Structure formats: structure tokens, C-alpha cells
Amino acid sequence: MKKTYLLFASALMLGFASCDTTRQMQDDETRTPVMATTTGPTPTGAVMSKGGLRVFAFDDSQKYPESQLRLNTPPENGVVQPGPVEFVYELSNFQLTRMTPHSNSEFMANSKEGQHIHNIVDNEPYTAHYETSFTKEMEEGEHVVLSFISRSYHESLKHKGAYDLRMVTVGRPQQRMEFDMKGQHMFYSRPKGEYVGADTRRIMLDFYLINTDLSTTGNKVRATINGNEFILDKWMPHIIEGLPMGETTIKLELINNAGAVIPGPYNSVTRTITLKES
């Protein structure tokens, strides 16, 4: 009798072990691995969907809180001659031409030349520069020059000290430009130009704010993408997914909490980009 009981107990324990092993194998099949491959920037806040598009903010890029940028030449409120104008920057705690060490660079358009400086004159499309000195053609007139540090995938650094804003006079302009340096301004940065192949899957939207921020109860940016309106209440880069091949029109407006565009020469801007399969 005792022998029979021992045999029965052993069989029962083997059965439990078999069940545990089967359950563990099933659990392993459904559990997401800890080291699962990421699929792109992680959304911060809600993912907005409209007209077949998905738009969301992200804030998981490599941080450079100590990086500083200053434009030494041309000097602030300086006067230069029309033609090729020399730009010379002072840059600290940031390495130009380095590939930004973060997986976000794998999931959107990324410069093969690495990190750089965005130079924007009068809110026209920026030029990217991989050295702290260069020349740029400028016409006679008064110009607003914004410069800021950029990651290799063109996302701007937004902390204090990462940008430089100034007025520069070229030649002897007949008309004076009125620009309030203390006013609230928005400058357009990305997207820009042409996107091909895998770069069309996720398009980064990025802009630069001066003397203001965004919030649910304050100023916002109204982004109208192919006629679809999205209200952005975070000063962060955003990802646009679902854009069709061909031309896309993007309009950005800096608005107050009532939805009115805030006065400023660059607070409403429209750009067109092109997406191609190959």
C-alpha cells in the first residue's frame, strides 16, 4: 500500500511539473522581451489621429544641457557688406559632425555628416553647417538671424544658451525692419525638402520658440497638415506618420489660448515638402 502511494505521488508531481513547464512556455511566447527592439520615438502625451495621419510629441532624445552656442561674427546689430558674409560661432560642450548617440536617428531622416548648426535668416529655410565658421550670401537689408544647435537628425536643442538671435544690417538699406526682440516668436525648422524611401515613414516636425512656451492653458502651435488641423501644446519635436507620397503642405501658426495668431512676422508660415518611394 505504501509503495502504491509513493508511485501515485511521484506521478502527480511529474504531472504538476509538466503543467508548470507548459505554462511557462506559453507565458514566454506572449511576454514582450525586456530587450525588445524599439520602433521609433516614444510618444509623450496623446497620439492625435486625423485624416489618416498620426501626430505625437516625443522627448526621449539625447540631452545636452550644458551645450552653449554664441554667434561672434557678425556682431549683434553689426553692419556688413552685401555678398558672402562671414559667420563665426563659439560652441562649447557639443561636438559637430558626431552622430547623435540615440536610436531615434535610426527611425527618421538623419544627416550622414552628423550634428550641426541650423542658421535661419528671416525665417527662410535653414542652412546646415558642420563647422563653426562659414560664409553665406546675404542681400542688402536688415535681417533677423536665428542660429541653434541641432542633433544629427535635425532636432533642435531648446534650452537657454543653445541658440543665438540677433539683427544684422547688410549694406545701406532704405527701409528699416521692425522686429521686437522681446516679442513672442516662432521660427520654422523641420520638415524640409525631399524625403525618400524609409525616411518617409516618420517625418519630424520641429520649430523654435523665442520668449514664449506652450501649454494647455496658454500659447499653442496650430499645425495644419494637408488640411488636417492639429493643436500642439508642448514645445517638443513631433512625429508625423501616414503622409502620402507626393507633395505635403504644412502650415504652422503660433496662437494664443483663444486661437488667434500672435502678432509677429514669422508666427504664421506655410511650407511644402515632397515624399518619394525611391
Side-chain angles (χ1 to χ4, degrees):
M1 182 71 179
K2 185 176 181 180
K3 184 176 182 180
T4 302
Y5 173 78
L6 290 173
L7 288 172
F8 176 75
S10 298
L12 191 62
M13 290 179 67
L14 287 171
F16 284 150
S18 177
C19 289
D20 286 344
T21 301
T22 302
R23 186 181 302 111
Q24 183 177 351
M25 291 176 63
Q26 291 173 343
D27 289 345
D28 288 343
E29 290 175 358
T30 58
R31 187 183 298 120
T32 301
V34 174
M35 299 301 291
T37 302
T38 59
T39 57
T42 302
T44 297
V47 176
M48 298 170 281
S49 299
K50 187 180 296 185
L53 305 178
R54 283 166 36 95
V55 176
F56 60 86
F58 68 96
D59 191 34
D60 57 351
S61 295
Q62 175 77 27
K63 300 294 189 293
Y64 298 93
E66 298 180 355
S67 298
Q68 300 286 307
L69 176 75
R70 177 175 173 78
L71 179 59
N72 290 332
T73 303
E76 190 169 0
N77 297 316
V79 179
V80 296
Q81 295 303 310
V85 174
E86 184 181 25
F87 285 81
V88 179
Y89 292 90
E90 182 179 336
L91 181 64
S92 60
N93 300 311
F94 192 81
Q95 182 180 339
L96 298 178
T97 72
R98 181 191 187 197
M99 297 305 262
T100 305
H102 192 285
S103 59
N104 280 348
S105 62
E106 303 172 13
F107 297 100
M108 63 186 80
N110 189 38
S111 172
K112 295 180 181 179
E113 297 180 73
Q115 299 178 154
H116 50 279
I117 297 169
H118 280 201
N119 176 287
I120 298 176
V121 177
D122 301 331
N123 205 32
E124 290 296 313
Y126 71 81
T127 52
H129 301 277
Y130 300 84
E131 297 181 353
T132 54
S133 62
F134 56 87
T135 60
K136 185 172 183 174
E137 290 287 331
M138 295 185 70
E139 298 178 351
E140 185 170 71
E142 291 192 314
H143 300 281
V144 178
V145 179
L146 172 68
S147 310
F148 54 81
I149 306 171
S150 170
R151 297 171 176 86
S152 61
Y153 43 93
H154 309 286
E155 180 194 341
S156 60
L157 271 63
K158 300 175 175 63
H159 63 267
K160 186 177 181 180
Y163 77 94
D164 184 288
L165 178 68
R166 63 185 57 197
M167 293 283 298
V168 175
T169 300
V170 180
R172 296 180 178 180
Q174 299 300 310
Q175 294 184 338
R176 182 174 179 81
M177 180 182 182
E178 298 296 334
F179 182 82
D180 184 4
M181 294 292 289
K182 296 181 179 180
Q184 300 178 89
H185 302 288
M186 177 192 68
F187 291 79
Y188 185 106
S189 182
R190 299 283 289 187
K192 172 192 173 187
E194 188 175 277
Y195 295 77
V196 181
D199 288 347
T200 64
R201 298 173 188 169
R202 298 175 187 85
I203 303 295
M204 186 185 69
L205 172 67
D206 202 20
F207 47 85
Y208 219 88
L209 299 179
I210 302 295
N211 301 326
T212 188
D213 203 346
L214 308 182
S215 70
T216 56
T217 58
N219 291 348
K220 301 170 182 62
V221 167
R222 180 163 55 213
T224 305
I225 307 170
N226 288 342
N228 301 289
E229 184 179 295
F230 300 89
I231 302 299
L232 315 181
D233 58 17
K234 297 179 177 64
W235 186 23
M236 297 178 184
H238 287 69
I239 290 294
I240 309 171
E241 296 179 334
L243 288 175
M245 295 298 109
E247 287 193 348
T248 280
T249 299
I250 298 173
K251 182 178 183 180
L252 296 184
E253 299 168 287
L254 179 62
I255 60 175
N256 60 25
N257 199 37
V261 177
I262 295 172
Y266 312 129
N267 290 343
S268 178
V269 58
T270 301
R271 297 280 169 86
T272 299
I273 61 171
T274 302
L275 277 64
K276 294 182 178 181
E277 293 182 356
S278 61

